[in-house]
Every structure is written in structure tokens, then in C-alpha cells.
Amino acid sequence: MTALLKSIRREIEATGPISVSDFMTQCLCHPKYGYYMTRDPFGVAGDFTTAPEISQCFGELLGLWAAITWQQMGSPSSLILAELGPGRGTLMSDVLRATKAVPGFHDALNIHLVEISPTLKEKQKATLAGTGLDVFWHDSFSDIPDGPAIFFANEFFDALPIRQFEKGEKGWGERFVDIDPDGAGLRFVLQKDEAATALMSPTLKEKGGAGLFEISPLSQTIAYALGERVKTFGGAVLVIDYGYAIPEFGETLQALKDHQFDPVLAHPGEADITAHVDFETLMRSFADGGACVFGPLGQGMFLERLGIAQRMQVLLQNANEAQRQSLMAAHKRLVSNEGMGDLFKVVCALHPDQPTPAAFEV
Ligand code: SAH
């Protein structure tokens, strides 16, 4: 039994079942036992691998995108370059290395990272130590100072908590996590909530089905606030994540442990827990906040339009045979439809007066 499982069972015994959202928050962010709080989960030895960990090209091309966006903003002399959930700091490090030669860009930059995990903050500090730029850390994005800003969020929104609603025999209810009476574990229960359908996205309402549906209130709140911020101070938000372009019924909550799917309730705090991002709702929240929104564009198409093939060619020229194989495999994984190319999507929220961002032209 994991330490967090013990703690959650004690809490349920004392105060009753907890929502899926509360369960997910505790699994990822519990100050003592939360998955991200205690470990570096990335890479071969970890539980999952993200795009910046697969190839340096990913961050380099995002750097190019940021530099172009900065120029489209009129090259302001001060720019906040921020990242939400920076993991090991690899993406930001590649972004900064690739943009060193862009005249005036680094002089304008203030780097702000939003990270809740003390372990990952330390890792980010080490990764970014050699950049020569000041880096500021925040627990919440609302603590980032005012001013024009470009935000990156790669695999951040999928880690934000969701609520699940389902139509059972007795009508609509919200899924909660309860103690399993038949063992030492946990189980899902449905708590009656007749008003649940009010929370359904307009698209699902129109589809008229009655399966399980998920919402991520925190994602919507953050996207709305980012949209407002971009409209007020100028700048852009680039979101890359996995999920669906149009909301669907069905469960997407999943746990990953040692690169394998794991039952969601089995190892609280010891497996990564995420849910598919509902891009339609996320984009609506950005737009409600006042931003102009572009996408979703498949990650494959996005990287191809920014020139991943050409960048790979340059890297291949200086590589030995083993490196060539690994570069080609990384390229394929990032852009192909069997890999991340289609499931992962890119969305940009932009100040309404700015021209179409790079890679989003039709
Ligand atoms: N962007 C990185 C890491 C993705 S994993 C990459 O692509 O490799 C999710 C990241 O978000 C981790 O750094 C995690 O600690 C952080 N995180 C999760 N929930 C968060 C929250 N509520 N606020 C701030 N950071 C959070």
C-alpha cells in the first residue's frame, strides 16, 4: 500500500468519499507524497517521456517560434518568457540556446517558470544554470509580473485535475473515490448530481449522448486568465498537449507507471495521472478571456511547418551511425501519426492585434 493510499483511505474514513478532481490533485501535488513533488519522472528510467526529452529539435523550433512572435509584437525591449510546468527545464534550455544569435532577443528576456514541485525546481535550476539569464520561479502563474509575455505549456494542461460525471441507473451523478469494501484499495462510486448536465460542453449537449463526460475547471480558469493577460499586456500562449479537438463522451483519465498503463486507483502518488485535454473548451476559455485563438494543429504539422526536416538534416550531417538512427527515430516519433504527430495538438492564444503566428497560416 502506498503512503498516499493510506493517507487517502484515512481521509475518506473521516470525511467521506473524495472527488476525482481531489484524488488527482493529491496524487500529483500532495506536498509530501505527490507524484511530481518527490521525483523526476521523465526519461527511460522514469515513467514517461515528453517531446523536449525526445529531441533537442523540439525546443529549438519552439525557440524559433518565440523569436518570430517577439518580432511580430514589434520586438519589445522587455519580454517575459514563461513556461508552465517546465519538467526538467529541457525545453527552456533548448529554446534559449537556439535563440542566442537573434539580435536583441536575449537582452529583452526575463525568464519565469511556474512549478509546484521542489524536486523539479532544483532540476530546472541545474539545467538552466549556464544560460546567463535570470530565472524566476512561481507556484502559480498569477504571480508572474505584468507585461508583454510569451508562455509555453507543454504537457501541462493534461496534468490539471478533472471532474467526471456519468449517467447511472439512478440518473446523473459525479464520480467520487471511496474505500473499496472488498479489499485494501479504492473504488469509484457515483454521487447523485441531477444538475451535472449543466456542466456539459455545448458540443456534447448537441451530440445528445449520455455517457461519462469530463471537465477540467482549473484548465478553463487558467486559460481564461491567460487570455485576459495576453489581451491586456500583449503576447502569446503556445499550448502543446495530447487530447481531442472536439469533446467526446468517454473516460480519458489514465495512469502511467514505468512506461505502462496502470489502473488509475492502484498506486496513488507513484504513477503519473493525466487526462486528455478538451481543446475546444480550452480554446473557448482563451477566447472568452479576450485572446484570438489559432489551432488546433497537429504537432507533426506544426513542427514540419517550422522546419524540423531541415533542422534534422543539419544534425544528421554531424552524427555517427548510432546517432543517425536515434535522430531519425526521434523525428518519426515527434511528427508521425503513429507517434505524437496527430494525438498531440498545438494551440496559440494571441493578442487580437498581432498577425497570424508562425506555422498557423492556412
Ligand atoms: N513540460 C515538461 C513537463 C511536463 S509534466 C515537459 O514537457 O517535459 C507536468 C509539469 O507540470 C511538471 O513539471 C509538474 O511538476 C508541473 N505541474 C503539474 N501540476 C502543476 C500545477 N498545478 N502548477 C504548476 N505546475 C504543475
Side-chain angles (χ1 to χ4, degrees), residues 78-299:
S78 176
L79 177 80
I80 290 169
L81 187 61
E83 188 178 352
L84 310 180
R88 284 177 168 170
T90 309
L91 170 63
M92 189 55 87
S93 156
D94 292 339
V95 162
L96 294 176
R97 192 187 56 255
T99 52
K100 249 189 197 148
V102 178
F105 188 53
H106 277 212
D107 294 336
L109 291 185
N110 291 297
I111 310 297
H112 289 262
L113 303 180
V114 180
E115 177 59 71
I116 38 150
S117 159
T119 312
L120 289 173
K121 264 181 212 166
E122 284 311 310
K123 188 92 204 173
Q124 292 154 17
K125 243 175 225 166
T127 308
L128 296 170
T131 60
L133 291 166
D134 286 337
V135 182
F136 304 93
W137 276 266
H138 309 277
D139 288 336
S140 160
F141 110 92
S142 52
D143 298 334
I144 297 177
D146 293 349
I150 295 176
F151 292 86
F152 293 125
N154 186 59
E155 293 210 44
F156 172 73
F157 284 98
D158 67 37
L160 298 185
I162 59 154
R163 295 172 70 183
Q164 293 184 317
F165 300 91
E166 197 177 10
K167 194 167 184 181
E169 283 159 16
K170 294 182 198 141
W172 281 99
E174 178 165 3
R175 252 187 173 190
F176 276 68
V177 175
D178 198 359
I179 287 170
D180 184 352
D182 300 328
L186 298 168
R187 62 164 182 166
F188 288 115
V189 291
L190 208 58
Q191 290 199 353
K192 209 168 163 54
D193 180 359
E194 275 155 17
T197 50
L199 299 171
M200 211 185 254
S201 80
T203 302
L204 286 185
K205 272 188 198 147
E206 227 165 82
K207 281 189 179 172
L212 183 149
F213 74 94
E214 300 174 334
I215 61 168
S216 178
L218 184 59
S219 298
Q220 291 181 39
T221 308
I222 293 179
Y224 182 91
L226 281 166
E228 251 186 339
R229 196 195 144 110
V230 157
K231 167 130 193 268
T232 310
F233 300 112
V237 185
L238 193 72
V239 176
I240 306 111
D241 221 311
Y242 80 105
Y244 36 85
I246 307 284
E248 287 162 25
F249 285 102
E251 174 168 29
T252 73
L253 188 67
Q254 65 180 40
L256 266 187
K257 191 167 161 33
D258 304 326
H259 297 265
Q260 306 281 333
F261 287 110
D262 197 52
V264 169
L265 300 178
H267 301 102
E270 290 183 3
D272 184 36
I273 294 198
T274 59
H276 278 41
V277 172
D278 167 358
F279 280 98
E280 188 184 77
T281 303
L282 195 73
M283 288 172 74
R284 192 177 326 110
S285 302
F286 278 126
D288 287 347
C292 195
V293 193
F294 297 83
L297 192 64
Q299 173 176 298

Side-chain angles (χ1 to χ4, degrees), residues 309-320:
Q310 291 83 340
R311 178 68 192 131
M312 279 289 176
Q313 275 310 316
V314 174
L315 294 176
L316 284 169
Q317 276 164 15
N318 303 311
N320 63 31

